[in-house]
Amino acid sequence: MSFALPKNVPSFTSSQREYEDGYWRSARRIGAQNGNTGNGLADKIGEFLDRRELPMYKDKPYSYAASRKQRHFYRRKRVMAGGIILLTGLIYWLGLFSKTGSIPKDLRKGGRNAWSWVRKPESTVVDWDSRRERVKEAFKLSWDGYEQHAWGYDEYHPISKSGKQMVPKGMGWIIVDALDTLMIMNLTSRLSHAREWISTSLNYDQDHEVNTFETTIRMLGGLLSAHYISTTFPDWAPLSDDDKGAPGEDLYLEKATDLADRLLGAFDSDSGIPYASVNLRTLKGIPSHIDGGASSTAEAASLQLEMKYLAKLTGEKNYWDKAEKVLQVIDDNGMEDGLLPIFIYADRGQFRGENIRLGSRGDSYYEYLIKQYLQTSKQESVYLDMWDQALTGVRKHLITYSKPSHFTVLAERPDGLRKQISPKMDHLVCFMPGTIALGATGGLTEAAAKKSGSWGKKQEQDLKLARELTKTCWGMYKVMATGLAPEISYFNIHDPPKMDGDSVPRSAELSDAEDADWSRDYNIKPMDSHNLQRPETVESLFYMWRITGDTIYREWGWEMFMSFVNYTAVADGTGFTSLDNANQLPPLQRDNMESYWLAETLKYFYLLFSPNDLLPLDQIVINTEAHIFPRFELGKLFSTGWKRKPRDPAGHIIQELKTENIEEKREVTKVEVVQGKSFSG
């Protein structure tokens, strides 16, 4: 196969030795089950060639002691075994081992060409089309492993070669989530198999509780994106069943409508805020089983792009109204500076607690503000106002700086805006720099936006903030032993914290020097060092490349992709997996391939390395699961059905209360400033 798991030498004195032994025993058992004595001949050749000729990528921190030992070991190994491997390689190229089980079928068909990108050192002139094809190979490897070992299952465990359902008959969790990626990559035969499964096996009429948010962004979003791409770009992975007039031309839309009708039950709360879960058969909304029954803010407020697009497609205004109401209820709470606590009660429409962050449970609320404005072709200014207010609040309360290198940190306020700042960034926060850049230009390139007449100091500052946050997120990768980011990063900050507007020197460069000072800014805790194949940083790299045209974002993306290849590929070619610890070598693998690895991470890599006219940013919006929707005009049927209440400069709602003076029988108008507050429960 093209992607070889590096044979890193385990430390014999490490406290992790027990876990490493378990990992290697597991790997050997898997190889034996496939008739292989090691990781496969193809892996050995691939590894040898990779170590011999590929350049040292900047995100592989050889300053780590374990890495240096590993490198020295392989130097000795090559000296001892180089001739044997070269001879074996020659026999392989002659085709004498054509039935090697660890090589995926598509790569076996490719022969020498399938290995060329590993064998050859990189040219000084980068071939981005070739790099894009390497991403497609990774997708095919992942998809084919799933197709062979877990077809139709919602979860895929590539090491044990098994699958698992989330509901009795399955949700199509992996298949539906990857549909538009299959189309964009023009993988027709694989798409045909997926479409056949959806047509014959996918049935959402199941008496089971599902998460409202995840089902909406992944399943409903995946079906709607598949409908959009198959109808707008019929030459991408063309299937006759999708042709206009064919009996199945509306398959994706019909499935989407059926699912959405079931999800609407979640919105049947007293306030209009959706419940955390819904039963697909009874259509009954179900409060969260934790967090005092509250829904998370991000989950309640990240259903709008999907429901609004479905409303536009079907003409059914009910989808629109239900989704829109959520934003009105949230905004009527009048939270200070547009920053929201991360939980909200569905029955009351009031917030729970004071924890404010743009990581888990808060993130995509902010993302969907600016994207709703763009989705309806900038015709709903209320969402731009909310975005601008929130971004100003982020600068005022959440932006701080690390020491000694002055990286920009988007921190948290776990106890409210008046309490201490926490220098913590979930990897999830790394969606934000790309979203800020998108908001600054509306999807135009920076050069075009500056000529549009709407460019000013604010847009300039926003794009600068996006650049600095992207750099911080990239540092999360470079600081790790595998070159793959942890789930959570903490930062060393000043006391008292330096905030936006304070005088702060220019941030340090992320050099490759051993024991570089900049690495001291990052504080990675052992419990947070796992890597879940998340897409947020490559998502921002994609936006930053498209908008600024700076090739550094593509280069960072390639280094990141190669780290995924080197450390998350399953030994015998059955896919890629998340990691239990990305800060040790060899990394401990989790035996789980996330659905968003196919739907988001690899899709963003593919788009990052593609020409810019593939899905231009000024013509589309991308939901929080990387599903593609078109921008559209409101038309006669749709409009913004609510208005923001007047606010003072701090963002607090100003209400006009009319009272009657009975004695003088005259009406007096009092103006009261209602302080935004959060509610505990």
Side-chain angles (χ1 to χ4, degrees):
M1 70 180 194
S2 288
F3 306 103
L5 182 70
K7 317 285 191 298
N8 300 301
V9 179
S11 169
F12 290 91
T13 59
S14 169
S15 61
Q16 297 289 331
R17 176 64 180 166
E18 175 184 351
Y19 304 104
E20 293 176 2
D21 285 345
Y23 168 80
W24 292 110
R25 283 195 297 270
S26 173
R28 286 195 294 270
R29 283 196 300 270
I30 291 168
Q33 290 168 3
N34 286 328
N36 300 325
T37 57
N39 287 348
L41 176 61
D43 288 335
K44 296 181 187 297
I45 297 172
E47 179 193 12
F48 172 76
L49 294 171
D50 178 55
R51 299 293 182 186
R52 177 84 178 204
E53 298 187 14
L54 274 184
M56 183 186 298
Y57 292 96
K58 289 189 292 183
D59 60 345
K60 296 176 184 174
Y62 285 102
S63 60
Y64 284 82
S67 294
R68 292 197 299 270
K69 290 177 183 177
Q70 169 193 334
R71 197 164 41 149
H72 294 164
F73 172 84
Y74 278 103
R75 284 173 179 167
R76 294 195 297 269
K77 191 73 172 180
R78 283 202 296 269
V79 171
M80 297 169 58
I84 296 174
I85 295 176
L86 285 173
L87 178 60
T88 306
L90 178 61
I91 296 172
Y92 172 83
W93 297 127
L94 293 175
L96 299 182
F97 294 125
S98 60
K99 293 184 179 181
T100 301
S102 65
I103 306 175
K105 181 189 294 185
D106 288 341
L107 297 187
R108 289 204 302 271
K109 290 179 179 179
R112 294 170 180 258
N113 291 334
W115 292 94
S116 59
W117 70 285
V118 176
R119 297 199 319 273
K120 296 179 180 178
E122 292 212 280
S123 168
T124 54
V125 178
V126 175
D127 185 347
W128 291 108
D129 288 340
S130 176
R131 288 184 172 184
R132 179 175 69 164
E133 288 304 304
R134 305 293 73 80
V135 176
K136 184 188 289 190
E137 284 184 16
F139 180 92
K140 290 192 294 183
L141 189 73
S142 304
W143 178 269
D144 291 351
Y146 167 71
E147 189 174 41
Q148 181 178 355
H149 300 293
W151 183 247
Y153 284 97
D154 295 323
E155 298 177 14
Y156 175 43
H157 308 294
I159 295 176
S160 59
K161 302 182 180 67
S162 62
K164 183 180 178 181
Q165 297 291 27
M166 298 170 57
V167 301
K169 296 180 181 178
M171 292 281 290
W173 208 250
I174 293 176
I175 295 173
V176 172
D177 217 9
L179 283 173
D180 54 1
T181 312
L182 288 164
M183 294 175 182
I184 291 168
M185 293 185 179
N186 202 30
L187 298 174
T188 308
S189 62
R190 293 170 177 83
L191 176 63
S192 179
H193 192 196
R195 191 188 189 285
E196 178 187 17
W197 185 89
I198 291 170
S199 178
T200 60
S201 301
L202 182 59
N203 182 3
Y204 289 121
D205 184 17
Q206 301 188 54
D207 187 10
H208 203 280
E209 173 185 341
V210 299
N211 180 275
T212 305
F213 164 74
E214 297 288 357
T215 305
T216 299
I217 64 167
R218 299 188 194 214
M219 299 298 94
L220 182 58
L223 290 165
L224 290 172
S225 182
H227 173 79
Y228 166 62
I229 291 177
S230 65
T231 55
T232 308
F233 306 100
D235 293 334
W236 296 3
L239 297 176
S240 58
D241 290 336
D242 292 333
D243 290 347
K244 190 174 181 60
E249 66 169 319
D250 292 326
L251 173 66
Y252 303 129
L253 183 56
E254 290 169 357
K255 291 290 185 181
T257 303
D258 173 63
L259 178 58
D261 288 343
R262 300 175 188 280
L263 292 170
L264 284 182
F267 292 82
D268 289 337
S269 67
D270 290 342
S271 70
I273 296 293
Y275 289 106
S277 300
V278 62
N279 185 293
L280 289 176
R281 177 166 293 170
T282 67
L283 314 185
K284 180 178 175 59
I286 302 167
S288 173
H289 301 294
I290 55 175
D291 306 315
S295 301
S296 83
T297 302
E299 294 185 356
S302 303
L303 314 169
Q304 287 66 32
L305 295 180
E306 296 80 7
M307 289 294 180
K308 285 184 169 183
Y309 180 40
L310 181 61
K312 185 68 175 180
L313 287 171
T314 63
E316 295 292 337
K317 198 169 182 292
N318 190 39
Y319 302 126
W320 185 287
D321 294 341
K322 292 281 190 182
E324 183 181 64
K325 176 68 173 177
V326 176
L327 274 299
Q328 180 181 9
V329 173
I330 285 175
D331 198 56
D332 283 352
N333 276 272
M335 302 311 297
E336 183 177 353
D337 292 326
L339 300 180
L340 311 183
I342 60 173
F343 295 108
I344 187 168
Y345 290 110
D347 56 351
R348 286 170 266 171
Q350 297 171 341
F351 288 103
R352 177 180 191 262
E354 298 181 278
N355 191 345
I356 294 173
R357 67 183 184 219
L358 271 72
S360 62
R361 301 185 180 275
D363 48 5
S364 49
Y365 160 73
Y366 303 93
E367 175 188 357
Y368 271 36
L369 292 179
I370 188 61
K371 288 185 177 180
Q372 284 183 84
Y373 172 65
L374 298 176
Q375 181 184 39
T376 51
S377 302
K378 303 182 180 180
Q379 293 179 314
E380 296 185 279
S381 60
V382 63
Y383 300 115
L384 178 61
D385 293 342
M386 294 171 71
W387 164 255
D388 285 341
Q389 181 191 13
L391 187 55
T392 300
V394 165
R395 286 183 173 277
K396 179 179 177 182
H397 298 287
L398 302 182
I399 293 296
T400 186
Y401 301 91
S402 67
K403 66 175 186 178
S405 305
H406 318 297
F407 297 129
T408 301
V409 178
L410 207 172
E412 301 181 356
R413 295 278 185 174
D415 299 309
L417 298 181
R418 299 290 175 265
K419 298 295 178 65
Q420 189 174 6
I421 196 169
S422 172
K424 167 179 173 280
M425 276 183 69
D426 294 352
H427 186 274
L428 290 165
V429 177
C430 290
F431 83 93
M432 191 62 173
T435 303
I436 293 172
L438 177 66
T441 71
L444 297 173
T445 65
E446 179 183 6
K450 287 181 175 179
K451 297 176 181 177
S452 66
S454 60
W455 192 263
K457 183 178 179 180
K458 179 185 182 303
Q459 288 73 24
E460 195 74 47
Q461 291 175 338
D462 287 351
L463 200 54
K464 180 181 178 181
L465 176 60
R467 286 188 170 97
E468 290 300 318
L469 284 173
T470 304
K471 185 178 183 179
T472 303
C473 289
W474 175 232
M476 294 181 187
Y477 285 77
K478 287 182 67 68
V479 79
M480 298 291 282
T482 59
L484 295 172
E487 182 70 358
I488 298 170
S489 297
Y490 286 83
F491 294 84
N492 296 313
I493 62 173
H494 301 271
D495 186 15
K498 291 187 179 294
M499 304 299 291
D500 185 61
D502 292 342
S503 177
V504 178
R506 183 177 179 179
S507 62
E509 293 303 315
L510 296 169
S511 71
D512 299 312
E514 188 170 317
D515 300 322
D517 284 347
W518 67 263
S519 64
R520 294 190 286 124
D521 292 49
Y522 292 81
N523 179 16
I524 311 301
K525 300 183 179 182
M527 293 297 293
D528 301 328
S529 63
H530 49 289
N531 179 279
L532 301 182
Q533 303 175 294
R534 289 201 183 277
E536 288 78 22
T537 298
V538 67
E539 171 185 351
S540 281
L541 294 179
F542 162 66
Y543 280 108
M544 294 301 292
W545 154 249
R546 285 283 185 96
I547 288 169
T548 69
D550 190 338
T551 57
I552 192 63
Y553 300 117
R554 277 182 147 183
E555 293 293 352
W556 289 352
W558 178 247
E559 294 177 22
M560 187 190 303
F561 173 69
M562 288 303 300
S563 290
F564 276 117
V565 167
N566 285 336
Y567 294 106
T568 72
V570 174
D572 54 357
T574 53
F576 295 78
T577 181
S578 51
L579 303 177
D580 268 330
N581 189 343
N583 208 23
Q584 72 172 54
L585 298 174
L588 299 177
Q589 296 188 324
R590 278 198 168 186
D591 191 20
N592 189 59
M593 191 176 80
E594 303 287 349
S595 77
Y596 54 72
W597 168 250
L598 301 175
E600 297 187 75
T601 309
L602 289 177
K603 182 187 296 167
Y604 279 124
F605 278 126
Y606 188 82
L607 292 174
L608 175 62
F609 304 146
S610 293
N612 289 356
D613 59 359
L614 178 64
L615 298 171
L617 285 180
D618 60 345
Q619 298 177 22
I620 60 170
V621 288
I622 305 176
N623 88 337
T624 197
E625 188 72 7
H627 294 310
I628 316 296
F629 304 152
R631 300 190 188 189
F632 56 82
E633 302 281 339
L634 285 173
K636 296 181 179 180
L637 182 60
F638 301 103
S639 62
T640 309
W642 67 285
K643 294 182 179 180
R644 301 192 80 189
K645 294 179 179 179
R647 284 165 166 75
D648 70 4
H652 305 132
I653 292 175
I654 301 172
Q655 291 184 344
E656 289 188 353
L657 303 178
K658 292 184 178 180
T659 61
E660 188 176 277
N661 187 318
I662 299 177
E663 254 183 58
E664 301 180 5
K665 295 196 183 228
R666 63 188 179 84
E667 196 174 78
V668 179
T669 299
K670 296 181 178 180
V671 177
E672 177 183 1
V673 175
V674 180
Q675 297 290 330
K677 61 179 68 176
S678 57
F679 300 82
S680 298

